[in-house]
Amino acid sequence: MSKASDQIKYLTATKLGSTKKKYCRFKKNNIRYIDYKDPDFLLTFVNEQGKILPRRLTGNSLKYQRKIAQAVKRARHLSLMPFVTDLLK
Amino acid sequence: MLNQYETTFILTPVLSDDDTKQTVNAYVDLLKAQGAEVIRQDHWGLKNLVYPINKKTTGIYHHIEFKAPAKAIATLEIAYRRDENVFRYLTVKLDKYAIAYNESRKESKGSKGRKVSSPKKSND
């Protein structure tokens, strides 16, 4: 039976690589406060140039994405995190 | 009604050790004069700035968490602006999650081996 299914040609190309379900890590781990004072945690939400990653990549919910953005901006103000850089990580 | 705030400020690195102590104590006393109650202080000391501020690449960080009436913040920030040693500051009002977070952080820091004796007001 499986042999037959191998010959099935799909009209549209099946998506390669299973896209794993994105989830908001703050809801899952029940984190309620994002501290602007520890930059190592915030670095995970920033790309190489130091820009804040969009929600579609990080998978955060809107409420926590805003908290992250605020924390990153505060950390930048206190020069714990750069405004712009290259090869940050 | 006392709100809870945390303030962080950066001093110029050229300050000698007792000068920094003096300025830090000056701010703590200023807060107390406004009827504030200092909960915790962290002296992060000399740290490298990620980008140069006023042509300086390092700064002495100090962090104070306190409870204060709302009017105290305006006077605190005016004092920061007047003081030329402080070249960056940030005062943040804490909500209940932030307070819970700082409490949990305090225990984890205290429990790292050394016995937390009576809450000695460390103003170094």
Side-chain angles (χ1 to χ4, degrees):
Chain A
M1 182 48 201
S2 64
K3 224 174 100 36
S5 67
D6 292 350
Q7 279 127 15
I8 297 171
K9 292 287 174 288
Y10 293 101
L11 285 180
T12 64
T14 62
K15 257 208 284 300
L16 293 176
S18 68
T19 61
K20 63 178 176 52
K21 180 84 187 58
K22 281 204 180 69
Y23 61 88
C24 172
R25 57 161 83 191
F26 297 99
K27 266 200 212 138
K28 195 182 263 283
N29 312 343
N30 204 354
I31 301 170
R32 306 292 283 192
Y33 173 69
I34 297 155
D35 196 9
Y36 61 89
K37 296 190 287 294
D38 60 347
D40 334 339
F41 176 64
L42 296 177
L43 282 181
T44 53
F45 299 100
V46 156
N47 69 2
E48 287 78 30
Q49 285 112 19
K51 297 155 109 173
I52 300 171
L53 288 173
R55 270 178 64 205
R56 67 172 189 280
L57 297 183
T58 56
N60 293 335
S61 61
L62 178 59
K63 175 178 172 178
Y64 290 103
Q65 179 72 12
R66 284 197 188 124
K67 284 185 197 260
I68 288 210
Q70 192 184 32
V72 166
K73 286 165 192 169
R74 283 183 180 158
R76 285 175 177 163
H77 177 71
L78 278 181
S79 99
L80 300 171
M81 276 178 69
F83 280 93
V84 67
T85 176
D86 39 12
L87 290 182
L88 178 72
K89 294 208 178 90
Chain B
M1 214 280 287
L2 292 184
N3 302 325
Q4 188 146 354
Y5 300 93
E6 66 178 2
T7 184
T8 317
F9 54 91
I10 311 177
L11 299 171
T12 54
V14 295
L15 280 183
S16 71
D17 202 11
D18 46 15
D19 277 355
T20 45
K21 277 204 181 64
Q22 212 182 334
T23 30
V24 163
N25 287 341
Y27 283 113
V28 171
D29 299 342
L30 176 112
L31 277 177
K32 286 215 168 41
Q34 306 293 318
E37 169 215 336
V38 174
I39 296 170
R40 194 173 314 115
Q41 286 189 56
D42 282 342
H43 191 68
W44 299 349
L46 198 66
K47 273 181 82 161
N48 282 329
L49 301 179
V50 178
Y51 54 88
I53 306 174
N54 304 3
K55 316 285 188 300
K56 298 178 192 54
T57 56
T58 59
I60 300 170
Y61 283 71
H62 194 80
H63 174 79
I64 305 174
E65 194 181 334
F66 58 96
K67 276 198 172 76
K71 294 191 299 304
I73 300 304
T75 51
L76 177 72
E77 304 237 323
I78 289 172
Y80 279 144
R81 284 196 199 93
R82 284 213 187 96
D83 189 343
E84 79 278 0
N85 289 331
V86 175
F87 56 87
R88 181 100 7 137
Y89 59 88
L90 177 70
T91 311
V92 165
K93 184 175 180 186
L94 298 181
D95 56 4
K96 62 181 184 332
Y97 300 122
I99 295 168
Y101 176 81
N102 287 345
E103 281 309 315
S104 65
R105 277 288 301 274
K106 193 157 76 95
E107 273 93 33
S108 74
K109 208 179 290 180
S111 71
K112 212 178 290 178
R114 58 181 168 69
K115 190 173 69 54
V116 182
S117 58
S118 68
K120 160 171 85 48
K121 194 172 74 54
S122 67
N123 49 21
D124 53 354

